[in-house]
Amino acid sequence: MTDTTPDTHTSDEAPAARSGHERTWRRYVAIGDSFTEGMSDPDPRQDDAYLGWADRLAVDLAQVADGAGHAFEYANLAIRGKLLVDVVGPQLDAALAMQPDLVSMVGGGNDIMRPNVDLDDVADQLEAAVVRLKDAGADVMLATMVNPTGSKIMTRLRPRISWHIANLWGIAQRHDCYVLDVWGMRALRDMRMWGADRLHLSPEGHRRVAQQAAWTLGLPTEGDWLDLLPPLEPKPARQRLAENAEWSKEYFGPWIERRLRGTSSGDGREAKRPHPMPIDPSVAAELFRRA
């Protein structure tokens, strides 16, 4: 299979500003896996807890709602390691019970990494979930996966990722969904946008994805989220080998062990924000400055 998914941005310039969002959302619920939980964007308030793009987007949504004189609430049910069946099952059921007017649903990435994934089944599960959300009156934001050019391991999955993204765009078109286009963010191909595990975004990566999400919804943005970082000097071969060995020991080996045991990093974990709660934009902005 050849990769025919186009890049949506052909330069490092920010896309043109949108004319404005159509509505002010008052209750946002995020469902998904580690990407939406926020790994690896550490929460300075506690160990092994993360902020992430969805938390950052929620602050922007809260600011807009506050400016319009409306209360705003946010819940995040995403848990690391979860397969799509968990996202469109228990997480979706819980989200619907909260009666949100905006839901971001990002799942399927962990399924794609499994050896025998059925990509059409993944698409069918996603579409059925979208229908449930739309029937309940919620706006839906889906998300593409990142272009894995910077990762030698993930590049092998590029044909699957492209297939999945093509299915996702079709679902979005049929059901009038927003799409957070992570694939088109060329800045994310720089490994400095990724955490030490090389699988999850760094705080700067999450900040940029949050800005892409805000732009997608028609919210104000900071304007620099697509800028490329200055190039780095190549590392000596010995340093690269040492870093790769350390990464294999610290992250890749344990990941393989979990797969062999049939366990997940999210086993036994609860959602970090299981109920819709208000956000004070000024307090949240200070938190992100500390992070």
Side-chain angles (χ1 to χ4, degrees), residues 42-142:
D43 186 335
R45 297 168 297 185
Q46 54 185 318
D47 294 334
D48 197 25
Y50 301 93
L51 299 171
W53 71 268
D55 286 20
R56 295 166 184 268
L57 174 63
V59 176
D60 292 338
L61 290 166
Q63 289 174 334
V64 172
D66 184 65
H70 300 305
F72 176 81
E73 294 180 320
Y74 164 56
N76 189 320
L77 309 181
I79 298 175
R80 67 195 72 172
K82 293 302 182 183
L83 298 173
L84 184 60
V85 67
D86 301 300
V87 177
V88 303
Q91 287 188 29
L92 178 61
D93 291 341
L96 286 167
M98 298 173 188
Q99 298 182 311
D101 54 9
L102 175 65
V103 174
S104 62
M105 178 171 59
V106 187
N110 290 318
D111 300 74
I112 288 172
M113 297 174 73
R114 302 289 170 125
N116 298 315
V117 62
D118 183 334
L119 292 171
D120 288 331
D121 179 61
V122 168
D124 290 345
Q125 290 184 64
L126 272 174
E127 187 157 17
V130 166
V131 169
R132 289 185 65 190
L133 288 166
K134 298 292 285 190
D135 285 348
D139 287 327
V140 179
M141 182 166 63
L142 305 173

Side-chain angles (χ1 to χ4, degrees), residues 137-236:
D139 287 327
V140 179
M141 182 166 63
L142 305 173
T144 69
M145 294 180 67
V146 72
N147 187 333
T149 301
S151 169
K152 292 182 179 180
I153 293 178
M154 294 298 292
T155 296
R156 299 177 182 178
L157 299 177
R158 188 167 173 165
R160 292 187 181 185
I161 293 172
S162 300
W163 185 344
H164 172 67
I165 291 174
N167 285 339
L168 186 143
W169 277 108
I171 293 168
Q173 185 178 49
R174 286 191 292 275
H175 301 286
D176 192 24
C177 300
Y178 296 95
V179 177
L180 169 55
D181 180 22
V182 183
W183 176 279
M185 297 180 66
R186 293 187 177 182
L188 296 185
R189 301 180 192 178
D190 190 315
M191 291 310 294
R192 286 172 288 177
M193 293 291 179
W194 297 85
D197 65 1
R198 304 181 183 179
L199 187 61
H200 299 103
L201 292 169
S202 67
E204 176 62 10
H206 277 287
R207 183 191 72 82
R208 290 179 181 237
V209 170
Q211 288 295 291
Q212 178 79 0
W215 178 85
T216 300
L217 296 176
L219 276 60
T221 61
E222 298 173 5
D224 67 341
W225 76 97
L226 295 177
D227 292 351
L228 303 180
L229 296 178
L232 286 175
E233 292 293 330
K235 294 180 180 179

Side-chain angles (χ1 to χ4, degrees), residues 225-280:
W225 76 97
L226 295 177
D227 292 351
L228 303 180
L229 296 178
L232 286 175
E233 292 293 330
K235 294 180 180 179
R238 181 176 297 180
Q239 181 180 349
R240 293 199 307 271
L241 288 171
E243 290 177 353
N244 288 338
E246 181 63 24
W247 171 79
S248 296
K249 177 182 178 181
E250 186 73 18
Y251 299 105
F252 188 62
W255 183 82
I256 292 294
E257 289 180 9
R258 288 195 299 272
R259 290 295 176 270
L260 293 175
R261 295 196 305 265
T263 60
S264 166
S265 57
D267 288 348
R269 299 192 70 89
E270 301 293 333
K272 67 177 185 180
R273 196 178 177 101
H275 306 291
M277 295 183 292
I279 288 179
D280 183 326

